[in-house]
């Protein structure tokens, strides 16, 4: 079975690689590109730890063949912030204790990031509905929801200040 | 995962060259990881032009096979004229999955029967003639209608129940390029002695679209999904309804039931007996009794019959205005 030539833009950088058809996007991101932010929790599309953005939509990268991502723009948690410049969502997860072990956190934040693009001013119920595909074994979700609502408020006031 | 060849189809004609279709991949991939599905060749249809649009067709809408579940549920025309479809879709899976799941793939998603998922157990769907481990096994998700000795599995789709209640038609393109349109009840095959054949779609054929008829003006539409958790779980049973009233009587009524049969279920006799009647608790109870009369399902799934009866009565109360919507019901009016 021949390898396939795949081009993607990952966190703004162009990448080209050869991939076996059966390689999952999550494996390419973690093993070939060294982006270990997206985690593998279940590998059965349930937990959401592997969530990344593909062409502006949240997807579970354990349920996407790398071949399906050919030509796509992919953003991982590494593309949202870094230790020297945390994203507002990362700040708020820290502030509001939105994480304990941290395993689900990259997926949570990547998903929340897209959620706030689609709905910059969500209600608590909308946050819970939008985050339903991300499971957390530690926090009980309460503080994750708080962190996302706080980040939304922060991002909105920053936007207003800029206007 | 077993190795396979991956081919991108650029045109509808090239699908006919064969290979297993992959659209969103959200069902197929998981089954390939478990080696429940072991295709030699995948044919990726995502680059075929023209399948990713919702367009007017006659007085209704044409939903291309590649339109995602997210896009269908968000489309203003769907939300206004066919809210039961948007509700059914949003009651299923999660945002990430709906973003990838397509209209065609959702229709052909496979059952969630645990024995189908476990290659160590006999399953006639996976291997015709092997036997059905659900017979005498455990299975609270099994079907209660339309089963056969060879297979007790239920179809899990929420979207398909919304499409059936709206009397949608599925457009299938044959290997000769000709298309045909089928109602949902004709699109899916009941298991009989060949549970591996789930629909009329033959190898090399492709679903190209789903066609919605004109919206039922002034209708009240409802999708009630009963599940183990409030979100992110498959239905135990679901009931979809579209109703209009005139002079205190039921004027138009369509009903469909999910997760109770190998395909989205309907029962014309039950629906017909309600049309023209004034809404009444006794009438609804008799309709519910009629729906489940004479069925003796697998003991683990027998609870679905009373659950379905109660769900149907509750939904009928709501769509006819006999009582307020119950908590947990996705009720909406069609403004078309
Ligand atoms: C965690 C999880 C939870 C879920 N919860 C729900 C739920 O609550 N309710 C619900 O309804 N669904 C649920 N789903 C299922 C989900 O809706 C399906 O996986 C999805 O709709 C399949 O669409 P797809 O495009 O990804 O299909 P694919 O995986 O690409 O394909 C599925 C099948 O359809 C065939 N196919 C695809 N497109 C075509 C076409 N155009 N013509 C012919 N054949 C085609 C493929 O060959 C394959 O056999 C859930 C899935 C997951 C992983
Ligand atoms: S690792 Fe992808 S959803 Fe769990
Ligand atoms: S913080 Fe541990 S799984 Fe979410």
């Amino acid at each position: 079975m021949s390898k396939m030539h795949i081009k993607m833009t990952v966190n703004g950088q162009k990448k080209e690689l050869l991939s076996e058809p059966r390689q999952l996007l999550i494996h390419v991101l973690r093993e070939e590109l060294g982006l270990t932010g997206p985690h593998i929790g279940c590998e059965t599309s349930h937990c959401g730890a592997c969530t990344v953005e593909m062409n502006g939509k949240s997807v579970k990268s354990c349920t996407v063949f790398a071949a399906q991502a050919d030509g796509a723009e992919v953003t991982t948690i590494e593309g949202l912030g870094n230790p020297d410049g945390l994203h507002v969502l990362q700040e708020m997860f820290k502030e509001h204790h939105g994480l304990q072990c941290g395993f689900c956190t990259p997926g949570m934040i990547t998903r929340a990031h897209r959620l706030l693009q689609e709905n910059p001013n969500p209600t608590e119920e909308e946050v819970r509905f939008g985050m339903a595909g991300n499971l957390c074994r530690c926090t009980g979700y309460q503080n994750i929801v708080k962190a996302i609502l706080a980040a939304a408020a922060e991002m909105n006031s920053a936007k207003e200040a800029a206007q | 995962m077993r190795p396979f060849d991956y081919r991108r189809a650029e045109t509808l004609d090239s699908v006919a060259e064969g290979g297993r279709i992959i659209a969103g991949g959200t069902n197929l991939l998981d089954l390939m990881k478990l080696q429940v599905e072991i295709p030699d060749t995948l044919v990726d249809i995502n680059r075929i032009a023209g399948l990713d649009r919702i367009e007017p067709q006659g007085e209704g809408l044409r939903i291309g096979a590649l339109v995602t579940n997210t896009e269908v549920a968000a489309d203003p025309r769907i939300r206004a004229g066919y809210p039961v479809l948007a509700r059914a879709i949003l009651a299923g899976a999660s945002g990430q999955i709906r973003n990838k799941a397509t209209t065609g793939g959702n229709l052909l998603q496979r059952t969630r029967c645990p024995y189908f998922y476990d290659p160590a157990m006999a399953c006639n769907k996976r291997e015709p003639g092997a036997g059905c481990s659900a017979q005498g096994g455990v299975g609270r998700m099994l079907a209660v209608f339309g089963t056969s000795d060879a297979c007790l599995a239920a179809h899990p789709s929420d979207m398909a129940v919304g499409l059936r209640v709206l009397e949608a038609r599925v457009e299938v393109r044959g290997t000769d390029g000709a298309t045909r349109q089928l109602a949902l009840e004709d699109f899916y095959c009941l298991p009989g002695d060949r549970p591996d054949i789930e629909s009329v779609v033959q190898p090399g054929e492709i679903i190209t679209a789903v066609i919605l008829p004109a919206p039922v003006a002034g209708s009240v539409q409802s999708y009630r999904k009963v599940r183990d958790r409030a979100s992110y779980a498959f239905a135990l049973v679901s009931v979809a309804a579209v109703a209009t009233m005139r002079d205190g009587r039921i004027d138009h009524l369509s009903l469909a039931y999910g997760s109770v049969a190998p395909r989205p279920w309907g029962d014309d006799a039950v629906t017909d007996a309600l049309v023209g009647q004034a809404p009444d608790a006794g009438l609804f109870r008799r309709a519910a009794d009629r729906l489940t009369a004479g069925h003796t399902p697998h003991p683990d799934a027998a609870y679905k019959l009373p659950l379905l009866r109660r769900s149907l009565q509750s939904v009928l109360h709501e769509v006819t205005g006999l009582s307020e919507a119950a908590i947990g019901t996705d009720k909406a009016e069609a403004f078309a």
Side-chain angles (χ1 to χ4, degrees), chain A residues 17-29:
Chain A
L17 45 105
L18 287 174
S19 151
E20 263 189 79
R22 61 181 178 157
Q23 260 181 310
L24 302 175
L25 177 59
I26 184 72
H27 291 149
V28 166
L29 291 173

PDB file of all heavy atoms in Angstrom, chain A residues 17-29:
ATOM      1  N   LEU A  17       4.415  15.938   4.110  1.00  0.00           N
ATOM      2  CA  LEU A  17       4.894  14.656   4.611  1.00  0.00           C
ATOM      3  C   LEU A  17       4.326  13.507   3.817  1.00  0.00           C
ATOM      4  O   LEU A  17       3.364  13.663   3.067  1.00  0.00           O
ATOM      5  CB  LEU A  17       4.586  14.513   6.101  1.00  0.00           C
ATOM      6  CG  LEU A  17       3.197  14.907   6.574  1.00  0.00           C
ATOM      7  CD1 LEU A  17       2.394  13.680   6.871  1.00  0.00           C
ATOM      8  CD2 LEU A  17       3.320  15.787   7.790  1.00  0.00           C
ATOM      9  N   LEU A  18       4.941  12.363   4.023  1.00  0.00           N
ATOM     10  CA  LEU A  18       4.443  11.133   3.412  1.00  0.00           C
ATOM     11  C   LEU A  18       3.723  10.357   4.505  1.00  0.00           C
ATOM     12  O   LEU A  18       4.234  10.197   5.608  1.00  0.00           O
ATOM     13  CB  LEU A  18       5.612  10.291   2.871  1.00  0.00           C
ATOM     14  CG  LEU A  18       6.274  10.821   1.601  1.00  0.00           C
ATOM     15  CD1 LEU A  18       7.502   9.983   1.263  1.00  0.00           C
ATOM     16  CD2 LEU A  18       5.280  10.803   0.435  1.00  0.00           C
ATOM     17  N   SER A  19       2.536   9.895   4.162  1.00  0.00           N
ATOM     18  CA  SER A  19       1.763   9.214   5.192  1.00  0.00           C
ATOM     19  C   SER A  19       1.155   7.951   4.606  1.00  0.00           C
ATOM     20  O   SER A  19       0.757   7.911   3.451  1.00  0.00           O
ATOM     21  CB  SER A  19       0.679  10.174   5.690  1.00  0.00           C
ATOM     22  OG  SER A  19      -0.445   9.478   6.142  1.00  0.00           O
ATOM     23  N   GLU A  20       1.097   6.917   5.421  1.00  0.00           N
ATOM     24  CA  GLU A  20       0.344   5.717   5.031  1.00  0.00           C
ATOM     25  C   GLU A  20      -1.127   6.081   5.104  1.00  0.00           C
ATOM     26  O   GLU A  20      -1.530   6.823   6.003  1.00  0.00           O
ATOM     27  CB  GLU A  20       0.588   4.615   6.059  1.00  0.00           C
ATOM     28  CG  GLU A  20       1.646   3.620   5.699  1.00  0.00           C
ATOM     29  CD  GLU A  20       1.614   2.467   6.689  1.00  0.00           C
ATOM     30  OE1 GLU A  20       0.746   1.600   6.551  1.00  0.00           O
ATOM     31  OE2 GLU A  20       2.454   2.467   7.600  1.00  0.00           O
ATOM     32  N   PRO A  21      -1.956   5.527   4.217  1.00  0.00           N
ATOM     33  CA  PRO A  21      -3.380   5.877   4.258  1.00  0.00           C
ATOM     34  C   PRO A  21      -4.003   5.658   5.637  1.00  0.00           C
ATOM     35  O   PRO A  21      -4.892   6.384   6.036  1.00  0.00           O
ATOM     36  CB  PRO A  21      -4.005   4.927   3.229  1.00  0.00           C
ATOM     37  CG  PRO A  21      -2.903   4.609   2.286  1.00  0.00           C
ATOM     38  CD  PRO A  21      -1.640   4.653   3.079  1.00  0.00           C
ATOM     39  N   ARG A  22      -3.531   4.654   6.381  1.00  0.00           N
ATOM     40  CA  ARG A  22      -4.210   4.347   7.647  1.00  0.00           C
ATOM     41  C   ARG A  22      -3.737   5.214   8.809  1.00  0.00           C
ATOM     42  O   ARG A  22      -4.203   5.046   9.935  1.00  0.00           O
ATOM     43  CB  ARG A  22      -4.033   2.873   7.997  1.00  0.00           C
ATOM     44  CG  ARG A  22      -2.601   2.503   8.186  1.00  0.00           C
ATOM     45  CD  ARG A  22      -2.453   1.034   8.503  1.00  0.00           C
ATOM     46  NE  ARG A  22      -1.037   0.745   8.618  1.00  0.00           N
ATOM     47  CZ  ARG A  22      -0.531  -0.269   9.291  1.00  0.00           C
ATOM     48  NH1 ARG A  22      -1.342  -1.102   9.895  1.00  0.00           N
ATOM     49  NH2 ARG A  22       0.758  -0.448   9.340  1.00  0.00           N
ATOM     50  N   GLN A  23      -2.788   6.130   8.555  1.00  0.00           N
ATOM     51  CA  GLN A  23      -2.329   6.979   9.663  1.00  0.00           C
ATOM     52  C   GLN A  23      -3.393   7.998  10.056  1.00  0.00           C
ATOM     53  O   GLN A  23      -3.956   8.688   9.210  1.00  0.00           O
ATOM     54  CB  GLN A  23      -1.053   7.712   9.275  1.00  0.00           C
ATOM     55  CG  GLN A  23       0.185   7.051   9.850  1.00  0.00           C
ATOM     56  CD  GLN A  23       1.435   7.790   9.474  1.00  0.00           C
ATOM     57  OE1 GLN A  23       1.656   8.093   8.295  1.00  0.00           O
ATOM     58  NE2 GLN A  23       2.246   8.090  10.469  1.00  0.00           N
ATOM     59  N   LEU A  24      -3.622   8.098  11.356  1.00  0.00           N
ATOM     60  CA  LEU A  24      -4.601   9.071  11.852  1.00  0.00           C
ATOM     61  C   LEU A  24      -3.928  10.432  11.981  1.00  0.00           C
ATOM     62  O   LEU A  24      -2.728  10.524  12.260  1.00  0.00           O
ATOM     63  CB  LEU A  24      -5.139   8.626  13.208  1.00  0.00           C
ATOM     64  CG  LEU A  24      -5.806   7.248  13.259  1.00  0.00           C
ATOM     65  CD1 LEU A  24      -6.191   6.888  14.697  1.00  0.00           C
ATOM     66  CD2 LEU A  24      -7.030   7.206  12.352  1.00  0.00           C
ATOM     67  N   LEU A  25      -4.734  11.483  11.839  1.00  0.00           N
ATOM     68  CA  LEU A  25      -4.188  12.839  11.971  1.00  0.00           C
ATOM     69  C   LEU A  25      -3.502  13.020  13.324  1.00  0.00           C
ATOM     70  O   LEU A  25      -2.423  13.613  13.407  1.00  0.00           O
ATOM     71  CB  LEU A  25      -5.328  13.859  11.780  1.00  0.00           C
ATOM     72  CG  LEU A  25      -4.957  15.325  11.946  1.00  0.00           C
ATOM     73  CD1 LEU A  25      -3.866  15.752  10.968  1.00  0.00           C
ATOM     74  CD2 LEU A  25      -6.201  16.217  11.757  1.00  0.00           C
ATOM     75  N   ILE A  26      -4.098  12.502  14.395  1.00  0.00           N
ATOM     76  CA  ILE A  26      -3.496  12.682  15.723  1.00  0.00           C
ATOM     77  C   ILE A  26      -2.096  12.083  15.771  1.00  0.00           C
ATOM     78  O   ILE A  26      -1.188  12.646  16.383  1.00  0.00           O
ATOM     79  CB  ILE A  26      -4.404  12.089  16.844  1.00  0.00           C
ATOM     80  CG1 ILE A  26      -3.836  12.344  18.245  1.00  0.00           C
ATOM     81  CG2 ILE A  26      -4.620  10.588  16.691  1.00  0.00           C
ATOM     82  CD1 ILE A  26      -3.916  13.728  18.723  1.00  0.00           C
ATOM     83  N   HIS A  27      -1.891  10.953  15.110  1.00  0.00           N
ATOM     84  CA  HIS A  27      -0.562  10.329  15.130  1.00  0.00           C
ATOM     85  C   HIS A  27       0.440  11.156  14.340  1.00  0.00           C
ATOM     86  O   HIS A  27       1.591  11.297  14.747  1.00  0.00           O
ATOM     87  CB  HIS A  27      -0.642   8.905  14.580  1.00  0.00           C
ATOM     88  CG  HIS A  27      -1.398   7.977  15.496  1.00  0.00           C
ATOM     89  ND1 HIS A  27      -2.132   6.912  15.044  1.00  0.00           N
ATOM     90  CD2 HIS A  27      -1.564   8.005  16.844  1.00  0.00           C
ATOM     91  CE1 HIS A  27      -2.698   6.311  16.088  1.00  0.00           C
ATOM     92  NE2 HIS A  27      -2.379   6.952  17.184  1.00  0.00           N
ATOM     93  N   VAL A  28      -0.003  11.707  13.224  1.00  0.00           N
ATOM     94  CA  VAL A  28       0.900  12.554  12.434  1.00  0.00           C
ATOM     95  C   VAL A  28       1.273  13.803  13.233  1.00  0.00           C
ATOM     96  O   VAL A  28       2.445  14.193  13.293  1.00  0.00           O
ATOM     97  CB  VAL A  28       0.245  12.916  11.080  1.00  0.00           C
ATOM     98  CG1 VAL A  28       0.991  14.039  10.400  1.00  0.00           C
ATOM     99  CG2 VAL A  28       0.185  11.689  10.191  1.00  0.00           C
ATOM    100  N   LEU A  29       0.284  14.400  13.876  1.00  0.00           N
ATOM    101  CA  LEU A  29       0.568  15.616  14.645  1.00  0.00           C
ATOM    102  C   LEU A  29       1.556  15.316  15.778  1.00  0.00           C
ATOM    103  O   LEU A  29       2.532  16.036  15.972  1.00  0.00           O
ATOM    104  CB  LEU A  29      -0.720  16.189  15.242  1.00  0.00           C
ATOM    105  CG  LEU A  29      -1.723  16.774  14.240  1.00  0.00           C
ATOM    106  CD1 LEU A  29      -3.026  17.144  14.953  1.00  0.00           C
ATOM    107  CD2 LEU A  29      -1.150  18.003  13.526  1.00  0.00           C
TER     108      LEU A  29
END
